[in-house]
Amino acid sequence: RYKKSVLNYALRILGNRADAEDVLSDVFLAVFGRKYRFEAQAKFSTWAFAVTRNMCIDKIRKRKRFLPLVFRNEGAQQTEEWDPPDTKALPREDLERSETAHHVQSAIQKLPLEQKEAIVLREYHQMSYEEISTVLNCSLAKVKVLNFRAREDLKIKLWSSLEGDNRHG
């Protein structure tokens, strides 16, 4: 029941499908192994996202100890983490939507962790500010500030990305 939303949350926080799938399996192993206790006063989904968040943070900490597989396009200044492309052909509208989603996801990945978590939970998982404050274990006011700052940062990042595309295209 929660597999898809937990996987999507982990994927958006980690930006890497393999890591997200690892976290997904770790979350459900921990839940079934009773590593974490569910408190009946919270919604199960909120609690599952809190467990997922902890697992994502653990994964990020472990990542810092290893070098990711990266590549550099010929003539490019920056390297990127390797993510195998989807080879199926896309109609024009799907391609445009996919490119837009890629720009948004790329901008989200550049946000500070707490802002990224807050915006992903709000926009992709439709959680209330109260639920987000439970998952992030912080005040309601902080959640509102995190979401506001994330939106402002995304506007700037996406606008500069759009300006860069217009200069090169």
Side-chain angles (χ1 to χ4, degrees), residues 129-143:
Y129 288 137
E130 292 81 8
E131 291 172 316
I132 296 169
S133 90
T134 300
V135 171
L136 300 184
N137 194 27
C138 65
S139 72
L140 186 61
K142 183 173 181 179
V143 168

Side-chain angles (χ1 to χ4, degrees), residues 3-163:
K3 177 183 176 184
K4 188 175 180 179
S5 56
V6 166
L7 177 63
N8 284 332
Y9 175 63
L11 183 58
R12 292 186 196 286
I13 296 302
L14 298 169
N16 176 301
R17 185 161 192 90
D19 286 347
E21 288 174 350
D22 286 347
V23 164
L24 174 69
S25 62
D26 291 347
V27 165
F28 286 104
L29 285 173
V31 167
F32 292 121
R34 297 178 193 208
K35 182 178 178 183
Y36 293 93
R37 276 187 44 152
F38 172 62
E39 302 293 332
Q41 66 264 24
K43 286 174 47 177
F44 181 81
S45 60
T46 305
W47 175 75
F49 278 105
V51 172
T52 304
R53 175 183 189 256
N54 292 336
M55 298 279 185
C56 286
I57 290 170
D58 289 346
K59 183 64 83 173
I60 290 168
R61 285 182 185 139
K62 288 177 187 173
R63 249 192 218 165
K64 291 180 181 179
R65 294 184 220 150
F66 299 100
L67 294 174
L69 180 60
V70 295
F71 71 93
R72 184 185 304 253
N73 283 336
E74 204 170 307
Q77 296 284 332
Q78 297 179 343
T79 59
E80 297 179 36
E81 190 168 339
W82 182 68
D83 190 16
D86 187 1
T87 56
K88 70 180 181 184
L90 295 174
R92 183 179 178 92
E93 297 83 25
D94 287 346
L95 182 59
E96 288 172 1
R97 199 173 12 252
S98 175
E99 286 175 357
T100 301
H102 173 74
H103 284 297
V104 170
Q105 187 60 34
S106 178
I108 288 172
Q109 287 303 312
K110 294 175 185 169
L111 291 172
L113 180 61
E114 284 185 315
Q115 287 181 19
K116 183 187 333 181
E117 291 172 323
I119 200 77
V120 165
L121 290 170
R122 180 74 176 171
E123 299 302 324
Y124 291 99
H125 297 284
Q126 290 76 46
M127 284 192 172
S128 69
Y129 288 137
E130 292 81 8
E131 291 172 316
I132 296 169
S133 90
T134 300
V135 171
L136 300 184
N137 194 27
C138 65
S139 72
L140 186 61
K142 183 173 181 179
V143 168
K144 291 178 181 180
V145 168
L146 288 170
N147 269 282
F148 175 80
R149 288 184 180 158
R151 282 187 179 87
E152 292 301 307
D153 287 353
L154 287 172
K155 283 179 197 174
I156 293 166
K157 288 176 187 349
L158 291 170
W159 182 255
S160 65
S161 173
L162 180 64
E163 294 253 313

